[in-house]
Amino acid sequence: MRRASRLSRARPVVLALSLSVVGLTGACGADGGPGTDAVLFENARILIGDGSAPIENGAFLVEAGRFTHVGQTGAIDVPRGAQRVDLGGRTVMPALINTHAHLGSTRAELIAQLGHFAFWGVGAVQSLGHDSAALALEMRSDTTPGIARYLTAGRGITAPEPGRTETPYWVTSAEQARAAVRELAAARIPLLKIWVDDRNGQYEKLGPELYGAVIDEAHANGQRVAAHIFSLEDAKGLLRAGVDAFAHGIRDTDIDDEGLALFRERPDVVLIPNLPDRGEATDVGWLAATIPAGQLEEIQAAMTDRPDVQQRFAIQARNLGRLNEAGVRIAMGTDGSAAWAAHVEMEDMVAAGMSPARVIVASTRNGARLLGLEDTGTIEVGRSADFIVLDADPLEDIRNTRRINAVWLRGAPVDRAAISARQLAGT
């Protein structure tokens, strides 16, 4: 499990926004009538998710699961019979997009995990490279209410790694690599995963001839490739070969000018930094809403100052800071399966030098674009109504993304109280 670090000391309170009608019930508007499912949210500070200035005293209308109007309070025609929710100045932002996770292998496990992700405001999760069963493909169209959307990269591609998981394709020739890509294309996998890593010298890594074949074949099939990497030199080789995304940052050394130049030459490349544990003592009490007391105590006991871990974090943080300054496109991903880890990752990204505003864009719009989700990631007309209501402004302190008052996915409220109860009961 990915450990939390330097977290807020405030314990969360699980709240649900009341849908009782505020103001003029059944106010006359342009369209609609009795029985409409329209809900008007007003008196909010709206973060669109694209980096633009917040909409102060904002309002938005949700109909049939989508945003149909976004603007100022009092400036939206309200359908007759619509419910009205006064947000009382709270901040609203898009639901989070986690582009790098590894989840369960049964439907029951996945439904529980995706519900837990939804509790923490995650609207979509990409399982990156460890899925071999048909279930993973089927879950892409699952519409169970109150859970995060599920995406999969299917089976990843790597050089043989005896003793490790055999789920990925193990390839030793260019033709094997291309055949693996073609199978993933047939399964409609738009973003696939490769590993370019010798695992601390244990294995022969996927070399340029093989990862070049993967990238070439994927692009011929309209797919993109995300690479797990460790070293700067491999990052350079993959950039020259046309890779589309990195599922980790550079971890062995500080990036040099040549590396920065290669990133600048490829402005569409996406970096998912997946920062490591910061190695600092921190209070994890904010997890009490979904982590049973005994497990939380174990996590808390591990939250100590560890200088060796801090050094590993520092390398990756410096690299992320330099790439962020260079304008590299960044998305958010956490690895593992911890549903709450997105909030830790966002704090770590700020610690590495990104502004809260840029972290929010990375965790919403940029993630949606990387995963090909054209209907989510921002609060805009026509998008799926996937949003979080917060009791404090994350632009002031990114840890305020944890102060969740309510989560709505696909135009419906997530029952956070029920999810909390199930998680605490271990069911």
Side-chain angles (χ1 to χ4, degrees):
M1 176 182 292
R2 189 183 189 279
R3 299 297 189 185
S5 55
R6 194 174 173 182
L7 305 177
S8 168
R9 296 180 181 275
R11 288 177 177 263
V13 178
V14 181
L15 300 175
L17 274 177
S18 170
L19 284 183
S20 59
V21 178
V22 178
L24 297 175
T25 303
C28 292
D31 301 298
T36 181
D37 71 348
V39 182
L40 176 71
F41 296 85
E42 48 194 345
N43 298 319
R45 189 166 196 259
I46 303 173
L47 309 183
I48 300 299
D50 61 0
S52 60
I55 299 176
E56 305 291 352
N57 193 29
F60 55 93
L61 187 66
V62 173
E63 299 176 274
R66 296 190 176 273
F67 298 112
T68 55
H69 296 276
V70 179
Q72 297 292 138
T73 294
I76 296 175
D77 287 334
V78 184
R80 187 160 52 90
Q83 292 181 301
R84 303 179 72 150
V85 179
D86 186 340
L87 293 178
R90 292 182 175 90
T91 297
V92 176
M93 64 175 285
L96 305 172
I97 310 293
N98 191 330
T99 63
H100 183 178
H102 300 287
L103 304 185
S105 58
T106 70
R107 188 174 189 278
E109 288 175 329
L110 287 172
I111 293 295
Q113 288 175 323
L114 295 170
H116 196 185
F117 274 93
F119 177 95
W120 288 111
V122 177
V125 185
Q126 166 89 353
S127 183
L128 204 57
H130 283 148
D131 300 325
S132 60
L135 174 66
L137 303 179
E138 296 167 4
M139 285 296 297
R140 295 181 298 184
S141 58
D142 194 285
T143 57
T144 300
I147 68 172
R149 207 182 313 192
Y150 178 86
L151 299 95
T152 180
R155 298 174 64 189
I157 301 172
T158 185
E161 297 183 351
R164 290 182 63 87
T165 173
E166 296 183 19
T167 298
Y169 295 96
W170 289 0
V171 300
T172 58
S173 70
E175 183 47 44
Q176 287 179 345
R178 290 179 182 276
V181 174
R182 289 193 290 269
E183 285 190 21
L184 293 166
R188 296 181 294 108
I189 300 293
L191 177 69
L192 55 88
K193 167 85 170 284
I194 58 175
W195 284 265
V196 181
D197 189 352
D198 64 9
R199 311 289 188 180
N200 292 320
Q202 296 182 78
Y203 308 109
E204 194 75 28
K205 73 175 69 172
L206 196 70
E209 179 186 0
L210 300 186
Y211 66 63
V214 169
I215 293 168
D216 180 67
E217 187 69 28
H219 289 175
N221 288 296
Q223 300 163 288
R224 292 181 292 171
V225 179
H228 164 116
I229 60 162
F230 187 88
S231 76
L232 172 60
E233 290 309 307
D234 287 330
K236 291 178 181 179
L238 284 156
L239 285 165
R240 294 185 183 105
V243 76
D244 302 285
F246 289 103
H248 288 272
I250 295 162
R251 295 181 269 178
D252 65 331
T253 189
D254 288 83
I255 192 168
D256 58 16
D257 290 341
E258 181 185 35
L260 283 170
L262 286 167
F263 269 100
R264 289 192 180 101
E265 290 172 8
R266 299 284 315 287
D268 292 332
V269 169
V270 179
L271 169 65
I272 309 168
N274 188 36
L275 291 162
D277 182 357
R278 287 167 66 181
E280 296 180 356
T282 187
D283 187 333
V284 296
W286 63 277
L287 296 173
T290 63
I291 305 296
Q295 184 181 346
L296 189 60
E297 289 176 6
E298 293 178 4
I299 296 173
Q300 185 64 72
M303 293 296 98
T304 59
D305 288 322
R306 288 148 287 152
D308 57 331
V309 176
Q310 292 171 12
Q311 290 176 5
R312 290 196 293 271
F313 176 84
I315 291 173
Q316 295 184 56
R318 288 195 300 270
N319 286 334
L320 174 57
R322 291 195 71 188
L323 290 169
N324 174 58
E325 290 174 1
V328 172
R329 189 173 302 174
I330 297 166
M332 184 272 292
T334 62
D335 211 346
S337 61
W340 38 266
H343 299 278
V344 181
E345 183 74 10
M346 290 189 290
E347 181 185 5
D348 291 349
M349 291 163 80
V350 169
M354 295 180 67
S355 69
R358 295 198 73 173
V359 169
I360 289 170
V361 173
S363 305
T364 56
R365 184 196 68 183
N366 288 1
R369 287 182 175 179
L370 174 63
L371 302 185
L373 298 175
E374 298 180 355
D375 67 339
T376 191
T378 55
I379 296 177
E380 294 181 279
V381 171
R383 306 281 185 179
S384 177
D386 304 331
F387 61 93
I388 312 170
V389 180
L390 300 171
D391 286 330
D393 184 359
L395 295 179
E396 296 180 357
D397 185 338
I398 195 64
R399 292 173 296 181
N400 287 337
T401 60
R402 304 163 192 173
R403 298 183 60 182
I404 299 173
N405 186 291
V407 177
W408 284 60
L409 298 180
R410 301 178 290 283
V414 173
D415 190 345
R416 299 182 74 239
I419 294 168
S420 175
R422 287 196 298 270
Q423 288 295 137
L424 294 176
T427 59

